Amino acid sequence: MTTTLTLRRPDDWHLHLRDGAMLEGVLPESARHFARAIIMPNLVPPVVTARDAAAYRDRILAALPAGMDFTPLMTLYLTEETDPADVAAAHAAGLVTAVKLYPAGATTNSASGVRDFDKVQGVLDRMAEIGLPLCVHGEVTDAEIDIFDREAVFIDRVLDPIRRATPGLRVVMEHITTRDGIDYVRQGGPDIGGTITTHHLVINRNHILVGGIKPHYYCLPVAKREEHRLALRAAATSGEASFFLGTDSAPHPDDAKESACGCAGCFTATNTLSILARVFEEEGALDRLEAFASLNGPAFYRLPPNDGTITLEKDAAPVAYPARIETGAGPVTVFDPGMPLHWRVRP
Ligand code: NCD
Ligand code: ZN
C-alpha cells in the first residue's frame, strides 16, 4: 500500500544557484519541487547593487526550462560600501527580498563581506525602517576561534550587538548548526527567524571525519556534535514558527570538492524532500513537515504561502536518486544521506 502526504508547495529560504553552466545544470533540481527560493548573492563578483540583482534574476529566469514554475527571490550582498538608498530602491521596486551579511572570509566567496560592522549601520537602520530582512551567515572569522565554536561566538560578539543597535531589524539566522543558535532564535521574538538545512538534520561531525575524510559532507557552518544535531531536529520538527527550511544547497564541481583544499558546500536540492520526509517521520512529526517547508518561511517573509501542492508517496522500494548531476561546469555529487529513502515526490 502507498501512503501519501500532500503539502502546500514548499520554498527554499537559502539556495546557491551559481551562474552560467552550473546555474543551467542545477536550477531544474530546485525548480522541480520548490516554488520560490532565496537566492544567495555570493557570485564572483558578488551581487552587490540593485542593477546586479536585476541582471542575475534575468539570467536565472532565462536558464529556467520551459514549463517550470519557479520564482527567484533575490538578495543583495552587503559590503561596507553598500548604499542605503540603492537597497531601499531595490526593495521598493520589489526586486530584492533580503540583504545577505557575510562576515569577510567566513565562507565561499565572502572576501567582499563585512569587516567593520559599524560601517554598515546606516544600511541596517534603513532596512529596519522599511522592514527588509537581513540574512546572516553567523560565524566569526577570528583565527583564534575554533571552527566548531564560531557560530556560538558570533551570537555573542556580532549578532546580538547588531540587533541591540538596530531595533526593529528583522533577521534570519541562516543554516543554524548549534543548540546555541536554536536557543537564541527561539527566545528572540518575532523579529528573528532561523533556517535549518537538510544535511544538518542528518549528519554530525563524525560523518565528516570518522573512517576517512568525506569532502561531500563538508560545508560551512561545519556540522557539529550529535547533541547539536538533535537540537536542530527537535526545532525543525517542532512546528514552531521561527524555524523554516533553507537547504543551503551549494553545488561545487566534484574536482573542487575532492581536492587537497576542498570547497565547502553540500548539494541537496535533488533529494531534500525525500530526506526531510524520512527525518520528520522518524521524529513522529510528518504532520509538521508542511509548517517547516511550506508555511513558516512565507509567514516570516510576509509573503503568502504557495497556492499549489505537492504530494509525497511512500513506497516499500527505496527511491533511486542519481549519485551526481552532470552539469556543463562538471559533475556535482548529490548529498548521500546514508540511509534508504522511501518517500518520493509524485511527478
Ligand atoms: C556555500 C557556498 O558554497 O557558496 N557553502 C557552504 O558550505 N554552505 C556558502 C555558504 O553558505 O556558507
Ligand atoms: Zn549558503
Side-chain angles (χ1 to χ4, degrees), residues 127-290:
M127 289 169 59
E129 260 170 57
I130 62 180
L132 181 60
L134 180 71
C135 293
V136 174
H137 183 108
E139 290 190 285
V140 292
T141 54
D142 314 54
E144 74 278 11
I145 306 293
D146 189 276
I147 190 166
F148 292 101
D149 298 332
R150 286 178 176 200
E151 182 172 294
V153 173
F154 182 87
I155 295 169
D156 293 339
R157 288 198 191 166
V158 182
L159 183 54
D160 200 56
I162 284 180
R163 294 187 62 233
R164 285 176 195 280
T166 325
L169 181 67
R170 310 190 67 241
V171 172
V172 181
M173 183 170 180
E174 301 196 279
H175 40 49
I176 302 174
T177 59
T178 57
R179 178 185 300 279
D180 314 66
I182 295 293
D183 290 346
Y184 185 74
V185 168
R186 193 171 261 150
Q187 53 77 46
D191 286 342
I192 186 162
T195 59
I196 301 175
T197 74
T198 309
H199 51 284
H200 288 119
L201 297 174
V202 176
I203 60 167
N204 63 32
R205 63 196 205 175
N206 275 17
H207 292 89
I208 310 171
L209 295 170
V210 172
I213 190 161
K214 314 291 190 317
H216 296 290
Y217 288 158
Y218 174 61
C219 70
L220 289 170
V222 69
K224 310 293 193 296
R225 287 177 181 275
E226 178 65 359
E227 65 181 274
H228 296 291
R229 186 185 74 100
L230 295 178
L232 299 176
R233 280 173 79 108
T237 60
S238 69
E240 286 166 78
S242 320
F243 300 109
F244 38 95
L245 174 65
T247 66
D248 194 15
S249 183
H252 293 276
D254 282 349
D255 61 355
K257 294 281 298 171
E258 299 166 7
S259 131
C261 183
C263 292
C266 296
F267 181 70
T268 54
T270 306
N271 54 4
T272 273
L273 288 171
S274 292
I275 298 172
L276 290 177
R278 170 151 186 157
V279 166
F280 276 68
E281 186 174 39
E282 284 171 354
E283 299 292 331
L286 270 178
D287 58 332
R288 295 197 279 271
L289 178 56
E290 185 177 45

Side-chain angles (χ1 to χ4, degrees), residues 14 16 40 175 248:
H14 180 132
H16 298 270
M40 287 296 122
H175 40 49
D248 194 15

Side-chain angles (χ1 to χ4, degrees), residues 6-13 33-34 36 243-245 273 276 288-299 303-310:
T6 296
L7 315 174
R8 291 276 192 146
R9 212 168 152 218
D11 303 302
D12 185 348
W13 299 97
H33 298 151
F34 294 95
R36 298 171 289 196
F243 300 109
F244 38 95
L245 174 65
L273 288 171
L276 290 177
R288 295 197 279 271
L289 178 56
E290 185 177 45
F292 181 66
S294 315
L295 301 178
N296 295 348
L303 294 168
N306 297 306
D307 284 332
T309 59
I310 56 160

Side-chain angles (χ1 to χ4, degrees), residues 5 33 39 56 79 94 115 118 123 140 161 184 191 193 254 283:
L5 178 68
H33 298 151
I39 308 301
Y56 186 31
T79 74
R115 281 186 177 74
D118 290 340
V123 183
V140 292
Y184 185 74
D191 286 342
D254 282 349
E283 299 292 331

